[in-house]
Amino acid sequence: MKNLTSSAKAGLALFSLTVSPLSSAIELYSQGEGDDLTKVSLGGYAKVDVRYVNGDVAYQDYWVGNFPGGEATETSHTGFNVKESRINMSLQHGDVTGFVEIDFYGGGGNEVISNSSNVRLRHLYISYQNWMVGQNWSTFMPLKAIPETLDFGGPHVGEVFIRAVQVRYTTGNWQFAIENPETWGDGDTGEPSSALGLTGDEADPDEDTPDFVARYNYSGDWGSVSLGGLLRKIDQGGIDEFSTSMNLSGVINSVGKDDFRFQLTVGEPGRYAATAMTTDIVEDPVTGETVVEKTTAFTVAYRHFWSDTLRSTAFYGGAETDVTELRRAHWGVNLMDSLTDHLNVGVEVGNYAIKDKGIDAIDSNYLQFSAQFLF
């Protein structure tokens, strides 16, 4: 990525802002130095998507690993969407930084009159020296390996993609974290115990052990690789055992400014991987017992620069489960350009397919146009 022009750097901001909220921001205030330094920054982007979906899988603003509606749905739908747009602010006092970011995927509104969307909290955390505490991307999530796409987040079905409230410590190439535990699939509410109107009887009675993540990151002139490990205690639905999973990812530099990105997740990641594809625990259709699901998920992506600002990414992501035998995939290819240092435009075509056991294979194609103003 060395020697990129300023336009090319701005052109990469869609990827950068997805994984690193502080990568592009306007400095509103700065005074003092050292321990007396006070700095306030504002960042984010406005993004407008126009998306057409046609096929047997119901329309979604972006694909994840789920099965919308749970059955084949004849679909031909065009949607206009600005909800991915986001605003963030950071406040630094010496070595301490606080960061908060919102977007507009919180639901609400309608397309009849107001078209309103509620604000949703994305990140809120505090950083001090080697420590980070608060809500942030999970330490198990390999941020650098996410492809540059117009469909928000890329091929979620093949990725680790999750935010969590956590305590993280970084030393050299190592990261260690304890993160909020949550078992999905045991029939609980999935809401925090502090949720409005949620009684103690409705909150999870177990989940007494935080999830533990360790990650090792290594980089060089050739690119970077990362290996993450996840250890969780599953103590819901009659199960009381530890589950493990691993993620191997990387970005390998290619010809010129091109790069190849990949990630592979194996084990029992549950809700951490293949976004919304499978619950943590499932019922074995043969024995009727409740068991921890095993999942294999992967993505590959190649990005090619046609010029300093014009580039394309071709990507594929897929996942399958062991017990429930779910199998889903997402591929796409795009063309993106930076018209100015702060304005990106692009077009993407792709396909989301479901080939679960026991159903006829179904899929939907999509065509998406996007414009993004960075600030």
Side-chain angles (χ1 to χ4, degrees):
M1 294 296 177
K2 294 181 179 179
N3 300 322
L4 287 179
T5 66
S6 60
S7 295
K9 291 178 180 178
L12 302 182
L14 175 59
F15 167 72
S16 301
L17 282 170
T18 300
V19 301
S20 179
L22 292 172
S23 62
S24 178
I26 301 168
E27 189 173 289
L28 301 179
Y29 175 85
S30 181
Q31 184 172 333
E33 56 184 40
D35 292 339
D36 296 323
L37 172 66
T38 298
K39 182 184 296 185
V40 180
S41 300
L42 177 71
Y45 59 76
K47 185 167 180 272
V48 181
D49 297 325
V50 178
R51 180 179 176 93
Y52 173 68
V53 173
N54 179 272
D56 304 315
V57 182
Y59 174 91
Q60 293 188 142
D61 287 335
Y62 56 92
W63 297 120
V64 292
N66 66 338
F67 189 170
E71 61 182 8
T73 303
E74 187 174 345
T75 300
S76 180
H77 181 81
T78 298
F80 290 67
N81 177 26
V82 298
K83 291 180 285 188
E84 185 186 322
S85 304
R86 63 198 56 176
I87 301 171
N88 58 61
M89 178 172 286
S90 66
L91 174 61
Q92 179 182 351
H93 284 306
D95 289 340
V96 183
T97 299
F99 181 85
V100 62
E101 183 175 56
I102 60 172
D103 67 10
F104 304 93
Y105 275 119
N110 60 72
E111 296 182 356
V112 178
I113 300 174
S114 67
N115 212 66
S116 304
S117 297
N118 295 335
V119 170
R120 179 185 69 165
L121 179 67
R122 288 174 54 82
H123 299 92
L124 194 158
Y125 57 82
I126 303 166
S127 299
Y128 176 69
Q129 295 182 357
N130 294 356
W131 292 91
M132 187 283 299
V133 295
Q135 179 165 302
N136 200 345
W137 295 118
S138 170
T139 308
F140 191 58
M141 180 176 168
L143 302 179
K144 291 184 178 180
I146 298 176
E148 185 181 26
T149 64
L150 300 183
D151 187 295
F152 171 49
H156 281 95
V157 68
E159 299 174 342
V160 172
F161 197 96
I162 185 170
R163 282 184 292 270
V165 180
Q166 61 191 276
V167 178
R168 180 191 301 168
Y169 179 76
T170 301
T171 175
N173 295 339
W174 286 96
Q175 293 179 305
F176 302 95
I178 53 173
E179 303 188 358
N180 183 65
E182 174 64 32
T183 301
W184 183 32
D186 61 346
D188 63 18
T189 63
E191 295 183 86
S193 58
S194 59
L196 183 64
L198 186 69
T199 69
D201 289 341
E202 293 170 326
D204 288 328
D206 301 310
E207 295 179 353
D208 58 2
T209 305
D211 297 350
F212 177 76
V213 182
R215 176 169 292 282
Y216 183 80
N217 306 302
Y218 183 78
S219 61
D221 292 339
W222 47 269
S224 63
V225 293
S226 180
L227 180 65
L230 171 66
L231 176 67
R232 299 187 300 152
K233 184 180 181 183
I234 307 296
D235 55 0
Q236 296 281 332
I239 297 176
D240 189 2
E241 63 183 67
F242 284 93
S243 71
T244 60
S245 54
M246 297 187 66
N247 175 274
L248 175 66
S249 64
V251 180
I252 308 300
N253 298 330
S254 183
V255 179
K257 296 189 287 284
D258 293 8
D259 64 62
F260 172 72
R261 305 180 188 207
F262 69 92
Q263 64 171 291
L264 170 67
T265 306
V266 295
E268 301 166 331
R271 63 189 176 88
Y272 277 80
T275 313
M277 175 173 163
T278 181
T279 54
D280 299 306
I281 56 177
V282 297
E283 181 178 302
D284 190 316
V286 177
T287 66
E289 297 180 350
T290 301
V291 296
V292 180
E293 181 64 282
K294 293 181 173 63
T295 303
T296 300
F298 73 95
T299 63
V300 289
Y302 190 85
R303 181 172 59 177
H304 173 68
F305 280 82
W306 305 100
S307 69
D308 283 342
T309 63
L310 186 67
R311 68 271 186 201
S312 294
T313 294
F315 62 88
Y316 181 90
E320 58 183 66
T321 61
D322 180 52
V323 178
T324 52
E325 298 186 69
L326 308 180
R327 185 182 178 191
R328 298 168 191 176
H330 176 190
W331 66 262
V333 60
N334 57 50
L335 180 66
M336 306 176 68
D337 195 12
S338 297
L339 301 183
T340 75
D341 287 354
H342 297 279
L343 180 62
N344 296 325
V345 295
V347 58
E348 182 170 296
V349 295
N351 175 273
Y352 179 65
I354 297 174
K355 300 180 181 179
D356 300 349
K357 182 181 180 181
I359 70 168
D360 293 331
I362 59 175
D363 70 315
S364 277
N365 299 312
Y366 73 96
L367 170 67
Q368 180 167 326
F369 298 90
S370 299
Q372 179 197 39
F373 170 57
L374 304 138
F375 54 86

